[in-house]
Amino acid sequence: MGPKRGVLAITILLSILLFPIAVPASTNGLIRIGLKKKPVDVNSRIASWLSAKGGKSFIARKYGVRSCDGNGDNTDIISLKNYMNAQYFGEIGIGSPPQKFTVIFDTGSSNLWVPSSKCYFSLACFFHAKYKSSQSSTYKENGKSAAIRYGTGSISGFFSQDDVTVGDLIAKSQDFIEATSEPGVTFLAARFDGILGLGFQEISVGDAVPVWYNMVKQALVKEPVFSFWFNRNAGEGEGGEIVFGGVDPNHYKGAHTYVPVSQKGYWQFNMGDILIDGQSTGFCARGCAAIADSGTSLIAGPTTVIAEINQKIGASGVVNQDCKEVVSEYGKQILEMLLAEIQPAEICSKIGLCTFDGARGVSIGIESVVNDTDRLSFGLVDATCNACEMAVVWTQYQLRQNHTHEHTLNYIDELCERLPNHVGETSVDCSSIASMPPISFTVGSKKFELKPDQYILKIGEGTAAQCISGFTALDVPPPRGPLWILGDVFMGVYHTVFDYGNLRVGFAEAA
């Protein structure tokens, strides 16, 4: 979630109310403030689609707080509550005395914002905690206007400055946004009050210094490192934790595989090939860009690749008539042009379905950021142009696998029926989960595998159960895109370290 480009809609599960336990308990030097949840109706349906960050969604998160002074280390642990593996919330305080807010700890954005007591005309503000500057002795006026636009919502307001409490850490004189307008239903439905961004200052609205930067600058943490552990066992009370200042060795197995941050802004790095049931898709064989994003519940990737995954796991989609018409009318021509070794980036323009301005290569959602070509396609009819570009990519990889021409054309026609719909929901048959293939991502030359029960979200039990694919489509335009977003589905399986000091991201099997 953050001021990012593109659209990604994901499921938010809203039928839960969490209440803080008033008395903190102390265990092994850790102070925990737990949360309880009310029983949930198993027939509860998906209630809202919330998106942000150029393909980033609001996945509700609620949490308790625990602080750590064990061994004298300057680390702070924020414990998270997990609801159906899709919602993680946390609590912070702003002001003196601290005013409590439930926020999403989001590595995909960089600003802190909460509703303001001066928010008079947005219904969402009446259902969430509001910051009252008059009740804080450490408040300092700023007044600079601010606005953040998300995929399906927006907030606007003004900057203020106050102390921010995260666990036992207090970031002094922190700039944050008081939201005075939250139009629409996006935040009305949300169970969180605001967002605390843990991304880099490069994507911070108003160039505000992020909370994490001040934690480091004010020497509140021993090491400039924070880490996430998500408990994916939805039946357990503990949802996970964020550790500021280090890592908890109890929450991962083996050693972390680290990759350098390739571009500051998001926690972005270069990722390798994507495999389905151990077989290369070829889409990222020469490299793709990815970000580790705690604020997105699913894994988001280019539409063309997601359609391929959908086909392999039997996920439903929307029949794209533009795509099917392109395959029917131009499929053989595309195949013959590829066999004639015409450059893939030129095919759709030669056919007459796309024009180019020389800025970027064909296959907007597929070509590697690291390896991109030098052309940009603008569709004479955008949908037809995009369909042609996808057909070229699909055909190219089928030919590389030595499939027959008939098989190739039939296959890409089927993929036209597996394209994700505009709200991103992709359902699967719950009874088929055991037969679905593993999906692997190559990071730092190591394959990180996700099993079907790890990438499918199951809601409810028995005949009321609903299963949703953990993969959703996202086409982020250049210069930031195309991007893969490895959200909670990935981070729940792999403990993630955000090493700010060495500008790298690390993954290890979660314990």
Side-chain angles (χ1 to χ4, degrees):
M1 321 183 174
K4 301 154 211 163
R5 291 79 175 156
V7 176
L8 165 63
I10 326 182
T11 305
I12 279 261
L13 308 173
L14 298 171
S15 53
I16 185 172
L17 294 175
L18 302 175
F19 298 93
I21 297 175
V23 181
S26 178
T27 306
N28 296 329
L30 300 178
I31 300 173
R32 305 168 186 256
I33 300 177
L35 297 173
K36 287 185 176 179
K37 61 183 178 183
K38 293 177 68 176
V40 180
D41 178 3
V42 297
N43 294 311
S44 295
R45 298 284 300 185
I46 295 170
S48 179
W49 301 92
L50 303 175
S51 61
K53 155 176 145 180
K56 187 132 185 289
S57 63
F58 290 113
I59 302 308
R61 307 179 184 279
K62 251 192 180 168
Y63 71 114
V65 177
R66 19 185 280 206
S67 62
C68 173
D69 57 5
N71 301 322
D73 289 346
N74 292 328
T75 61
D76 204 65
I77 300 174
I78 304 301
S79 64
L80 305 174
K81 297 301 288 188
N82 178 2
Y83 174 61
M84 292 187 180
N85 290 340
Q87 301 185 1
Y88 299 88
F89 292 97
E91 187 178 78
I92 65 170
I94 301 179
S96 302
Q99 300 172 38
K100 299 298 179 65
F101 298 93
T102 296
V103 298
I104 294 173
F105 287 90
D106 178 28
T107 59
S109 66
S110 301
N111 290 89
L112 168 61
W113 69 263
V114 295
S116 172
S117 61
K118 298 179 176 63
C119 180
Y120 304 117
F121 303 110
S122 292
L123 189 59
C125 290
F126 290 93
F127 291 91
H128 295 94
K130 295 180 286 292
Y131 171 77
K132 303 176 179 63
S133 58
S134 61
Q135 296 183 8
S136 174
S137 61
T138 47
Y139 162 75
K140 293 180 182 178
E141 183 179 359
N142 181 310
K144 179 182 174 182
S145 62
I148 302 177
R149 181 172 296 279
Y150 300 101
T152 58
S154 63
I155 65 103
S156 61
F158 58 90
F159 280 101
S160 289
Q161 189 178 98
D162 210 332
D163 294 349
V164 173
T165 302
V166 181
D168 276 356
L169 307 181
I170 301 177
K172 300 288 187 180
S173 303
Q174 174 66 49
D175 288 331
F176 68 100
I177 298 172
E178 289 193 50
T180 56
S181 177
E182 299 180 31
V185 299
T186 297
F187 297 106
L188 177 65
R191 293 295 182 183
F192 54 87
D193 301 316
I195 298 171
L196 191 155
L198 291 170
F200 291 93
Q201 191 170 358
E202 278 77 357
I203 59 171
S204 176
V205 168
D207 198 35
V209 177
V211 174
W212 168 247
Y213 279 47
N214 277 328
M215 286 183 180
V216 175
K217 182 179 179 181
Q218 297 172 21
L220 301 180
V221 292
K222 181 180 180 181
E223 297 179 75
V225 172
F226 61 91
S227 55
F228 275 80
W229 169 68
F230 292 142
N231 183 1
R232 300 297 281 179
N233 187 338
E236 295 181 2
E238 187 178 16
E241 63 185 24
I242 309 169
V243 179
F244 290 105
V247 299
D248 185 343
N250 294 318
H251 290 317
Y252 64 90
K253 303 174 184 177
H256 287 83
T257 296
Y258 285 95
V259 286
V261 171
S262 59
Q263 184 172 347
K264 290 173 67 177
Y266 310 132
W267 286 88
Q268 182 173 321
F269 54 92
N270 295 329
M271 184 180 73
D273 202 3
I274 298 168
L275 300 91
I276 302 175
D277 202 14
Q279 299 297 312
S280 170
T281 61
F283 293 118
C284 291
R286 294 179 296 176
C288 282
I291 65 174
D293 192 343
S294 64
T296 297
S297 69
L298 306 184
I299 293 174
T303 300
T304 313
V305 193
I306 298 302
E308 177 91 2
I309 293 175
N310 282 351
Q311 193 276 337
K312 296 297 185 184
I313 68 175
S316 63
V318 172
V319 177
N320 187 300
Q321 293 301 329
D322 293 302
C323 180
K324 292 181 75 68
E325 288 173 9
V326 166
V327 174
S328 175
E329 188 170 351
Y330 301 101
K332 289 184 179 179
Q333 186 177 355
I334 290 172
L335 191 152
E336 291 170 355
M337 293 174 78
L338 285 170
L339 289 173
E341 298 186 351
I342 294 176
Q343 289 297 315
E346 299 177 1
I347 289 178
C348 292
S349 61
K350 287 183 179 294
I351 291 175
L353 298 180
C354 297
T355 57
F356 302 89
D357 75 350
R360 190 198 64 208
V362 73
S363 307
I364 173 175
I366 297 300
E367 293 299 328
S368 163
V369 172
V370 179
N371 221 5
D372 63 26
T373 52
D374 59 356
R375 300 185 175 181
L376 171 59
S377 64
F378 288 98
L380 297 174
V381 179
D382 288 341
T384 303
C385 176
N386 290 339
C388 179
E389 292 181 333
M390 288 190 291
V392 168
V393 174
W394 289 332
T395 303
Q396 184 179 16
Y397 287 112
Q398 285 297 298
L399 290 176
R400 287 178 181 175
Q401 296 176 38
N402 297 317
H403 289 300
T404 66
H405 297 183
E406 182 180 5
H407 174 278
T408 296
L409 294 175
N410 288 337
Y411 182 74
I412 61 176
D413 183 71
E414 182 180 351
L415 289 180
C416 291
E417 301 179 6
R418 299 290 183 172
L419 292 176
N421 64 33
H422 68 284
V423 295
E425 180 183 25
T426 310
S427 60
V428 298
D429 182 356
C430 293
S431 65
S432 300
I433 293 177
S435 62
M436 293 178 188
I439 309 294
S440 301
F441 295 84
T442 306
V443 179
S445 299
K446 181 176 180 179
K447 294 179 178 62
F448 290 81
E449 183 180 275
L450 298 178
K451 296 179 175 62
D453 60 347
Q454 295 172 328
Y455 64 70
I456 298 296
L457 275 71
K458 187 175 182 181
I459 305 168
E461 298 294 338
T463 58
Q466 181 179 21
C467 292
I468 299 172
S469 169
F471 300 96
T472 192
L474 164 66
D475 293 303
V476 179
R480 281 291 182 186
L483 285 175
W484 279 86
I485 296 182
L486 304 184
D488 298 348
V489 166
F490 187 87
M491 291 175 61
V493 180
Y494 296 102
H495 179 269
T496 308
V497 176
F498 297 85
D499 189 340
Y500 176 76
N502 294 302
L503 291 179
R504 60 181 186 168
V505 183
F507 301 101
E509 183 182 355

